[in-house]
Amino acid sequence: FFSRYKKTKSGTIYVILRYDDIKEYGYSSVEVANMINVVGNIENCPIWASFVEAGDGRVKVELRSNNPSVQPLTVKYGGGGHRKAAGMTLPTFDEKQIYHIIDELDDIIVNYNGGK
């Protein structure tokens, strides 16, 4: 999990794992989705996210934050949670939608930092 993360220019750290990748390591999608906090200790990481495909094709999304609120974004997609820890489930693995959500997370960081 930790070795598969990527970081955007704005600082969003994310991991995208397909179901076949998870099976290869012998974990369930729930176990992998719960590993989100592993990347939270990386320096200059205001928001981190995991997108983990389950065996049924749905994608469990977990969002965490050091300060900017991620909960409104999860509500937008039918999820919920707390200001700094929230989640949602996407009905299918749609790479375009996943990268759109990552862009939205970057927007949250930029807006939190006053447009910088």
Side-chain angles (χ1 to χ4, degrees):
F1 185 91
F2 190 75
S3 67
R4 306 272 309 246
Y5 82 87
K6 295 181 180 178
K7 187 174 183 178
T8 67
K9 288 181 182 180
S10 296
T12 299
I13 290 181
Y14 65 94
V15 176
I16 301 171
L17 290 170
R18 299 297 305 255
Y19 181 66
D20 288 341
D21 297 328
I22 296 164
K23 284 192 331 186
E24 180 181 322
Y25 295 110
Y27 290 104
S28 73
S29 57
V30 172
E31 289 171 315
V32 173
N34 289 332
M35 293 179 184
I36 182 67
N37 292 323
V38 172
V39 295
N41 292 322
I42 297 172
E43 254 184 78
N44 300 317
C45 169
I47 294 177
W48 56 105
S50 68
F51 300 84
V52 180
E53 182 182 30
D56 62 4
R58 294 182 301 156
V59 178
K60 176 113 170 109
V61 181
E62 292 292 335
L63 305 178
R64 301 293 184 269
S65 166
N66 280 330
N67 219 351
S69 181
V70 293
Q71 189 260 356
L73 182 61
T74 60
V75 169
K76 175 181 171 182
Y77 288 94
H82 302 282
R83 185 179 169 298
K84 296 182 184 181
M88 58 196 171
T89 301
L90 304 177
T92 61
F93 187 93
D94 179 343
E95 198 168 286
K96 185 176 179 180
Q97 182 180 34
I98 289 170
Y99 282 103
H100 178 74
I101 292 169
I102 292 167
D103 288 342
E104 290 180 287
L105 293 169
D106 280 346
D107 289 344
I108 290 170
I109 293 169
V110 169
N111 290 332
Y112 181 79
N113 290 329
K116 297 176 186 176

PDB file of all heavy atoms in Angstrom, residues 8-22:
ATOM      1  N   THR A   8       0.174  14.760  -5.828  1.00  0.00           N
ATOM      2  CA  THR A   8      -0.086  15.815  -6.806  1.00  0.00           C
ATOM      3  C   THR A   8       0.756  17.039  -6.468  1.00  0.00           C
ATOM      4  O   THR A   8       1.322  17.150  -5.375  1.00  0.00           O
ATOM      5  CB  THR A   8      -1.567  16.221  -6.811  1.00  0.00           C
ATOM      6  OG1 THR A   8      -1.872  16.853  -5.561  1.00  0.00           O
ATOM      7  CG2 THR A   8      -2.482  15.022  -7.034  1.00  0.00           C
ATOM      8  N   LYS A   9       0.797  17.997  -7.387  1.00  0.00           N
ATOM      9  CA  LYS A   9       1.535  19.245  -7.156  1.00  0.00           C
ATOM     10  C   LYS A   9       0.973  20.024  -5.969  1.00  0.00           C
ATOM     11  O   LYS A   9       1.706  20.703  -5.270  1.00  0.00           O
ATOM     12  CB  LYS A   9       1.512  20.118  -8.408  1.00  0.00           C
ATOM     13  CG  LYS A   9       2.374  19.584  -9.514  1.00  0.00           C
ATOM     14  CD  LYS A   9       2.333  20.486 -10.719  1.00  0.00           C
ATOM     15  CE  LYS A   9       3.165  19.892 -11.840  1.00  0.00           C
ATOM     16  NZ  LYS A   9       3.151  20.735 -13.040  1.00  0.00           N
ATOM     17  N   SER A  10      -0.336  19.917  -5.750  1.00  0.00           N
ATOM     18  CA  SER A  10      -0.964  20.632  -4.632  1.00  0.00           C
ATOM     19  C   SER A  10      -0.754  19.933  -3.297  1.00  0.00           C
ATOM     20  O   SER A  10      -1.022  20.518  -2.252  1.00  0.00           O
ATOM     21  CB  SER A  10      -2.461  20.805  -4.893  1.00  0.00           C
ATOM     22  OG  SER A  10      -2.663  21.609  -6.023  1.00  0.00           O
ATOM     23  N   GLY A  11      -0.323  18.674  -3.335  1.00  0.00           N
ATOM     24  CA  GLY A  11      -0.041  17.965  -2.090  1.00  0.00           C
ATOM     25  C   GLY A  11      -0.967  16.827  -1.741  1.00  0.00           C
ATOM     26  O   GLY A  11      -0.776  16.171  -0.719  1.00  0.00           O
ATOM     27  N   THR A  12      -1.987  16.565  -2.553  1.00  0.00           N
ATOM     28  CA  THR A  12      -2.852  15.418  -2.291  1.00  0.00           C
ATOM     29  C   THR A  12      -2.063  14.133  -2.538  1.00  0.00           C
ATOM     30  O   THR A  12      -1.482  13.953  -3.595  1.00  0.00           O
ATOM     31  CB  THR A  12      -4.086  15.422  -3.212  1.00  0.00           C
ATOM     32  OG1 THR A  12      -4.847  16.609  -2.984  1.00  0.00           O
ATOM     33  CG2 THR A  12      -4.963  14.204  -2.959  1.00  0.00           C
ATOM     34  N   ILE A  13      -2.069  13.276  -1.552  1.00  0.00           N
ATOM     35  CA  ILE A  13      -1.459  11.957  -1.709  1.00  0.00           C
ATOM     36  C   ILE A  13      -2.597  10.965  -1.921  1.00  0.00           C
ATOM     37  O   ILE A  13      -3.608  11.016  -1.219  1.00  0.00           O
ATOM     38  CB  ILE A  13      -0.622  11.580  -0.479  1.00  0.00           C
ATOM     39  CG1 ILE A  13       0.626  12.469  -0.449  1.00  0.00           C
ATOM     40  CG2 ILE A  13      -0.255  10.107  -0.492  1.00  0.00           C
ATOM     41  CD1 ILE A  13       1.550  12.201   0.700  1.00  0.00           C
ATOM     42  N   TYR A  14      -2.419  10.096  -2.898  1.00  0.00           N
ATOM     43  CA  TYR A  14      -3.479   9.136  -3.192  1.00  0.00           C
ATOM     44  C   TYR A  14      -2.909   7.783  -3.593  1.00  0.00           C
ATOM     45  O   TYR A  14      -1.786   7.670  -4.080  1.00  0.00           O
ATOM     46  CB  TYR A  14      -4.408   9.670  -4.282  1.00  0.00           C
ATOM     47  CG  TYR A  14      -3.753   9.854  -5.629  1.00  0.00           C
ATOM     48  CD1 TYR A  14      -3.810   8.844  -6.584  1.00  0.00           C
ATOM     49  CD2 TYR A  14      -3.073  11.025  -5.945  1.00  0.00           C
ATOM     50  CE1 TYR A  14      -3.203   9.005  -7.825  1.00  0.00           C
ATOM     51  CE2 TYR A  14      -2.473  11.195  -7.179  1.00  0.00           C
ATOM     52  CZ  TYR A  14      -2.552  10.178  -8.120  1.00  0.00           C
ATOM     53  OH  TYR A  14      -1.936  10.344  -9.336  1.00  0.00           O
ATOM     54  N   VAL A  15      -3.737   6.759  -3.353  1.00  0.00           N
ATOM     55  CA  VAL A  15      -3.421   5.393  -3.743  1.00  0.00           C
ATOM     56  C   VAL A  15      -4.653   4.854  -4.460  1.00  0.00           C
ATOM     57  O   VAL A  15      -5.772   5.000  -3.956  1.00  0.00           O
ATOM     58  CB  VAL A  15      -3.109   4.511  -2.518  1.00  0.00           C
ATOM     59  CG1 VAL A  15      -2.878   3.064  -2.930  1.00  0.00           C
ATOM     60  CG2 VAL A  15      -1.925   5.044  -1.752  1.00  0.00           C
ATOM     61  N   ILE A  16      -4.440   4.270  -5.620  1.00  0.00           N
ATOM     62  CA  ILE A  16      -5.513   3.628  -6.380  1.00  0.00           C
ATOM     63  C   ILE A  16      -5.143   2.160  -6.527  1.00  0.00           C
ATOM     64  O   ILE A  16      -4.081   1.834  -7.057  1.00  0.00           O
ATOM     65  CB  ILE A  16      -5.677   4.267  -7.773  1.00  0.00           C
ATOM     66  CG1 ILE A  16      -5.986   5.749  -7.653  1.00  0.00           C
ATOM     67  CG2 ILE A  16      -6.762   3.527  -8.563  1.00  0.00           C
ATOM     68  CD1 ILE A  16      -5.952   6.504  -8.980  1.00  0.00           C
ATOM     69  N   LEU A  17      -6.002   1.289  -6.018  1.00  0.00           N
ATOM     70  CA  LEU A  17      -5.736  -0.143  -6.096  1.00  0.00           C
ATOM     71  C   LEU A  17      -6.916  -0.874  -6.720  1.00  0.00           C
ATOM     72  O   LEU A  17      -8.052  -0.724  -6.262  1.00  0.00           O
ATOM     73  CB  LEU A  17      -5.458  -0.717  -4.711  1.00  0.00           C
ATOM     74  CG  LEU A  17      -4.138  -0.299  -4.074  1.00  0.00           C
ATOM     75  CD1 LEU A  17      -4.089  -0.722  -2.622  1.00  0.00           C
ATOM     76  CD2 LEU A  17      -2.968  -0.912  -4.837  1.00  0.00           C
ATOM     77  N   ARG A  18      -6.620  -1.642  -7.738  1.00  0.00           N
ATOM     78  CA  ARG A  18      -7.633  -2.496  -8.370  1.00  0.00           C
ATOM     79  C   ARG A  18      -7.760  -3.789  -7.563  1.00  0.00           C
ATOM     80  O   ARG A  18      -6.851  -4.198  -6.834  1.00  0.00           O
ATOM     81  CB  ARG A  18      -7.236  -2.832  -9.814  1.00  0.00           C
ATOM     82  CG  ARG A  18      -7.085  -1.649 -10.753  1.00  0.00           C
ATOM     83  CD  ARG A  18      -8.360  -0.858 -10.981  1.00  0.00           C
ATOM     84  NE  ARG A  18      -9.493  -1.618 -11.445  1.00  0.00           N
ATOM     85  CZ  ARG A  18      -9.968  -1.618 -12.693  1.00  0.00           C
ATOM     86  NH1 ARG A  18      -9.387  -0.891 -13.625  1.00  0.00           N
ATOM     87  NH2 ARG A  18     -11.036  -2.325 -13.003  1.00  0.00           N
ATOM     88  N   TYR A  19      -8.877  -4.456  -7.716  1.00  0.00           N
ATOM     89  CA  TYR A  19      -9.146  -5.678  -6.963  1.00  0.00           C
ATOM     90  C   TYR A  19      -8.083  -6.747  -7.217  1.00  0.00           C
ATOM     91  O   TYR A  19      -7.634  -7.418  -6.296  1.00  0.00           O
ATOM     92  CB  TYR A  19     -10.536  -6.211  -7.306  1.00  0.00           C
ATOM     93  CG  TYR A  19     -10.894  -7.449  -6.544  1.00  0.00           C
ATOM     94  CD1 TYR A  19     -11.071  -7.403  -5.161  1.00  0.00           C
ATOM     95  CD2 TYR A  19     -11.024  -8.676  -7.191  1.00  0.00           C
ATOM     96  CE1 TYR A  19     -11.385  -8.543  -4.445  1.00  0.00           C
ATOM     97  CE2 TYR A  19     -11.343  -9.822  -6.483  1.00  0.00           C
ATOM     98  CZ  TYR A  19     -11.522  -9.749  -5.110  1.00  0.00           C
ATOM     99  OH  TYR A  19     -11.822 -10.882  -4.402  1.00  0.00           O
ATOM    100  N   ASP A  20      -7.639  -6.896  -8.464  1.00  0.00           N
ATOM    101  CA  ASP A  20      -6.618  -7.902  -8.777  1.00  0.00           C
ATOM    102  C   ASP A  20      -5.310  -7.633  -8.041  1.00  0.00           C
ATOM    103  O   ASP A  20      -4.614  -8.569  -7.638  1.00  0.00           O
ATOM    104  CB  ASP A  20      -6.370  -7.972 -10.284  1.00  0.00           C
ATOM    105  CG  ASP A  20      -7.530  -8.607 -11.035  1.00  0.00           C
ATOM    106  OD1 ASP A  20      -8.353  -9.302 -10.394  1.00  0.00           O
ATOM    107  OD2 ASP A  20      -7.619  -8.406 -12.265  1.00  0.00           O
ATOM    108  N   ASP A  21      -4.964  -6.357  -7.857  1.00  0.00           N
ATOM    109  CA  ASP A  21      -3.757  -6.001  -7.104  1.00  0.00           C
ATOM    110  C   ASP A  21      -3.879  -6.439  -5.646  1.00  0.00           C
ATOM    111  O   ASP A  21      -2.924  -6.939  -5.047  1.00  0.00           O
ATOM    112  CB  ASP A  21      -3.509  -4.494  -7.138  1.00  0.00           C
ATOM    113  CG  ASP A  21      -3.258  -3.961  -8.532  1.00  0.00           C
ATOM    114  OD1 ASP A  21      -2.692  -4.698  -9.364  1.00  0.00           O
ATOM    115  OD2 ASP A  21      -3.637  -2.804  -8.787  1.00  0.00           O
ATOM    116  N   ILE A  22      -5.058  -6.237  -5.095  1.00  0.00           N
ATOM    117  CA  ILE A  22      -5.302  -6.568  -3.686  1.00  0.00           C
ATOM    118  C   ILE A  22      -5.219  -8.082  -3.476  1.00  0.00           C
ATOM    119  O   ILE A  22      -4.588  -8.558  -2.534  1.00  0.00           O
ATOM    120  CB  ILE A  22      -6.690  -6.050  -3.250  1.00  0.00           C
ATOM    121  CG1 ILE A  22      -6.721  -4.537  -3.331  1.00  0.00           C
ATOM    122  CG2 ILE A  22      -7.034  -6.528  -1.849  1.00  0.00           C
ATOM    123  CD1 ILE A  22      -8.110  -3.970  -3.298  1.00  0.00           C
TER     124      ILE A  22
END
